[in-house]
Amino acid sequence: MARHCQGLFLLLLRYSLTLTLTVLLSCPCPALGKKKLYIGALFPMSGGWPGGQACLPAAQMALSLVNKRTDILPDYELELIHYDSMCDPGEATKLLYDLLYTEPIKIVLMPGCSSVSTLVAEAARMWNLIVLSYGSSSPALSNRQRFPTFFRTHPSATLHNPTRVQLFQKWKWTKIATIQQTTEVFTSTLDDLEERVKEAGIEISVRQSFLTDPAVAVKNLKRQDARIIVGLFYETEARKVFCEPTVFSLQVYKEKLYGKKYVWFLIGWYADNWFKIKDSSINCTVEQMTEAVEGHVTTEIVMLNPETVRGASNLTSQEFLAQLMSKLGGKNPEETGGFQEAPLAYDAVWALALALNKTVGPLKAKGHRLEDFNYNNRDITAEIYRALNTSSFEGVSGHVVFDAQGSRMAWTLIEQLQGGSYKKIGYYDSTKGNLSWYGNDKWIGSGPPADQTVVIEEFRYLSQKLFVSVSVFAGLGILLGIVCLTFNIYNSNVRYIQNSQPYLNNMTAVGCMMALAAVFPLGIDGLHVHRRQFPVVCQFRLWLLGLGFSLAYGSMFTKIWWVHTVFTKKDEKKDKRKHLEPWKLYATVGVLLGIDVLSLMIWQIVDPLHITVEKFTREAPKGDLDVLIQPLLEHCSSEKMNTWLGVVYGYKGLLLLLGIFLAYETKSISTEKINDHRAVGMAIYNVAVLCMITAPVTMILSSQQDASFAFASLAIVFSVYITLVVLFVPKMRRLITRGEWQSDAQETMKTGSSTNNNDEEKSRQLERENKELQKIIQEKEERVSELRNQLSERQALRSRRRASTVTNQNHSSPPLAIPHSDPRSLAPPPGYPAPTSDPHTISPSFANSSSLYQPDSKISRNNCHTSRLQLLYK
């Protein structure tokens, strides 16, 4: 009986257990009998990026759906253990310690912002933990050597860089600036951007960084005229960049580093109204912030699938947003941190669940189970790694797939803030390098600005009124030269013209006309000829002016040099006057001309003239245009222009100075062979003074095209006019008024008149010499009188001494006989008159000093007095 009761009890117990198992297995309760797998998560609810505000609800939504699914981890339940990291690595270190050393064991870690993920991922390898981030974009996290178990559904921040480079190239920007917050995520992103823009031929002209206060960095951007600015910083720092903290004034707003001249590239994962959020650390109004950030461009990873596709969660992206809004309890998405990244957190949970589900079979084959995981089990970690690395599914954020570095591959969305709200303007597919524009792709305002102030080159040309005016004077001067040349040639047989060396006069006229002809190419610039023909104009300037000077001045210099050579030498002066060989004059001009031709040829062969462009200070035109005018001026120059000019100016300057000296020395000389040398001297004075003033002044004024041309051309015109008028007009007047071309008799009379004039000049010269001789004689007489006085004083002194001696002798001794001298010893030298009884009597010839000088006779030896002879010898 007992056995029967015991069997009945066992039967009832077996039945009740079977019924219980059946009920339990058929129960729809998801958690009943499942093993829990714990996920340690860090959601930043505050701090630089408060992404946990929306990402945590999205992850909880995903966990709820995964745990209800019977086809995904049917024997397991995922449970989330999360903390608020405040996006602070210091706080995250403490929380990571709690997660690792507090039960239960976590199979996966899910950090948020990049700075926290860097800390967690680097430490996780020591505990054989897989790290799956939903909000980390730091490029440094793509380093598999440093972070071997790291994955992320948020693409790397470097994914923005190919998009930025494409935009720079599309809008033809070649120079950009950057400003970054000094954190690893932004430093790594900027390093990658620098490499990419360098490959694209784009320059980063300004690179600024800051830790907490961006004031100095923004001022440096303004000072260095940055226009296209890439900003890499968190949302809270972004408000500081555009508006300084309360104790200071506005930053970007104050520096006026915004508007149509500037383009800011910011990160796209800020909240849509980040610039409207009240922040106690700044004092900008909403209106000021809105004005400062208007027009900036964001590049943002496409985080919400634009297509209506049901993925692994059996939800479309729009259905997900509707459920998320319900989960948030009606909060404004624009004021909820991480709302844009919420799809990434949602898909991160699904990626983890699908990967864990994929590992169940392989682990079972190896005798392992997921619930057996501990921090020393590398086999389970390796299986989870392989499963995540091969993940590929459609999520609410788009197609989820990881590259070899564990980073998410995705499209990039390009938006611009227009009228206070973001407008989509394009997409970029980095896998295919395809940039496509959205429907609303129009740039705010008139179009994209330039990467720097647009510089418009503007050539400065010579004033046409000035050029025409001077050309008229030059043309009239050439006509005057032709008249003078014709007159000189026609009257070359007239003796008066012959005595002025007509061939040299012809050279002077031709040289003057060549110098005047140089005025025309001197005023021709790029307005009249093409740039390729401009060197030819430079050659014409140089050769016409150089050869014209050599002919005109060289012929005048030859005349004055010959006059000085002949008439300043006393020896053989008369013979020199009688012989004047014209070929020597022509040879002298030929030598001067040959020196110029040779020097110019060497110049043009060794260092030819070419066009150079001088740049001046940029000028800002009137109006609010982002344009600067770059004035340019064309010059004729060579590589060693200063050296060549120094040689030419030195040689010509010496000729001018020598010409002035010779003209001064010969101003009182009169010669019949070159009867116009005084006029030549006057012309040389004027030409030399004008040339010596013009040469340095034109070099100083070379950057002022009108002043330089006016000074140089008018100096040429005045020099030529003075030369032609001084040399030829008196000849014309003489021949016209006196009719000296009519007969040789009249020419002879005029020559006689010229001879009379020469005699008068000689008489005046003799008078001057007579006065000089009288002055010399008077000085000699004064010296003789002084010496005679001294002699008289000495003789008187001797007489007194002799008398005193005689008296003493009379008192002391008898007188001695004084011998008489030989009378012949007192006799004068032969040929000289005997002295008078009084030796101190002055000769009558010295009594009247005027008798010493007789213009028509010479002083003979017989007229000299004995005393005079002795004094002269003395």
Side-chain angles (χ1 to χ4, degrees), residues 732-743:
M732 295 180 185
R733 180 176 177 274
R734 182 183 180 96
L735 296 186
I736 292 173
T737 57
R738 300 187 183 186
E740 294 189 3
W741 66 85
Q742 296 177 3
S743 65

Side-chain angles (χ1 to χ4, degrees), residues 510-747:
V510 172
C512 289
M513 288 188 289
M514 292 180 66
L516 285 174
V519 171
F520 298 102
L522 196 64
I524 294 176
D525 50 26
L527 185 64
H528 305 93
V529 296
H530 193 271
R531 189 182 183 91
R532 289 177 295 181
Q533 283 79 41
F534 199 78
V536 179
V537 176
C538 297
Q539 301 291 340
F540 271 104
R541 293 179 183 178
L542 184 62
W543 284 88
L544 285 175
L545 193 56
L547 299 182
F549 179 87
S550 296
L551 282 174
Y553 183 79
S555 58
M556 295 189 295
F557 177 82
T558 300
K559 286 184 180 183
I560 210 73
W561 172 79
W562 183 87
V563 173
H564 182 270
T565 301
V566 173
F567 290 95
T568 56
K569 290 185 177 180
K570 294 183 178 180
D571 297 336
E572 303 177 356
K573 184 167 63 174
K574 293 182 179 180
D575 295 336
K576 295 276 184 177
R577 287 181 178 179
K578 293 180 180 179
H579 301 286
L580 175 60
E581 298 177 358
W583 69 268
K584 293 183 178 180
L585 302 178
Y586 308 147
T588 304
V589 177
V591 169
L592 296 177
L593 186 63
I595 293 174
D596 269 358
V597 171
L598 182 62
S599 61
L600 292 177
M601 289 181 63
I602 294 174
W603 185 352
Q604 297 313 302
I605 293 173
V606 175
D607 190 12
L609 289 174
H610 58 272
I611 186 173
T612 58
V613 178
E614 180 183 3
K615 295 184 177 181
F616 298 91
T617 304
R618 295 174 179 177
E619 302 172 354
K622 296 180 180 180
D624 190 22
L625 298 176
D626 190 20
V627 174
L628 288 178
I629 303 299
Q630 175 67 76
L632 304 175
L633 183 60
E634 296 171 328
H635 290 287
C636 292
S637 183
S638 57
E639 297 298 330
K640 298 182 179 179
M641 188 70 173
N642 292 333
T643 302
W644 294 109
L645 288 179
V647 172
V648 173
Y649 285 168
Y651 164 63
K652 302 290 186 184
L654 290 176
L655 281 181
L656 292 171
L657 292 175
L658 185 56
I660 293 175
F661 171 76
L662 295 177
Y664 177 78
E665 287 290 315
T666 59
K667 68 179 188 294
S668 61
I669 296 176
S670 177
T671 175
E672 190 174 331
K673 296 297 183 180
I674 301 178
N675 55 19
D676 62 346
H677 75 280
R678 290 190 181 90
V680 170
M682 185 181 297
I684 287 178
Y685 288 147
N686 289 278
V687 171
V689 171
L690 286 173
C691 289
M692 290 182 177
I693 294 175
T694 302
V697 170
T698 51
M699 294 183 67
I700 295 173
L701 299 177
S702 60
S703 299
Q704 303 178 28
Q705 70 279 10
D706 290 344
S708 178
F709 172 76
F711 212 93
S713 58
L714 291 178
I716 295 173
V717 170
F718 289 151
S719 299
V720 169
Y721 270 81
I722 292 173
T723 301
L724 294 177
V725 170
V726 169
L727 290 184
F728 293 97
V729 171
K731 296 181 177 64
M732 295 180 185
R733 180 176 177 274
R734 182 183 180 96
L735 296 186
I736 292 173
T737 57
R738 300 187 183 186
E740 294 189 3
W741 66 85
Q742 296 177 3
S743 65
D744 292 337
Q746 292 179 350
E747 181 63 29

Side-chain angles (χ1 to χ4, degrees), residues 437-451:
W437 290 108
Y438 201 70
N440 184 22
D441 61 345
K442 293 184 179 180
W443 187 275
I444 182 172
S446 58
D451 56 353

Side-chain angles (χ1 to χ4, degrees), residues 295-358:
H296 76 266
V297 177
T298 64
T299 53
E300 177 184 356
I301 305 302
V302 176
M303 300 178 185
L304 189 66
N305 197 337
E307 300 178 358
T308 307
V309 178
R310 296 185 180 275
S313 64
N314 200 27
L315 290 177
T316 65
S317 57
Q318 298 303 319
E319 291 173 347
F320 162 75
L321 288 179
Q323 292 185 14
L324 179 61
M325 292 295 297
S326 177
K327 184 79 172 178
L328 292 174
K331 291 183 180 179
N332 186 355
E334 295 183 355
E335 298 179 358
T336 304
F339 185 83
Q340 295 178 343
E341 292 78 8
L344 303 179
Y346 184 85
D347 284 344
V349 174
W350 276 100
L352 176 61
L354 293 174
L356 292 176
N357 186 65
K358 193 184 295 185

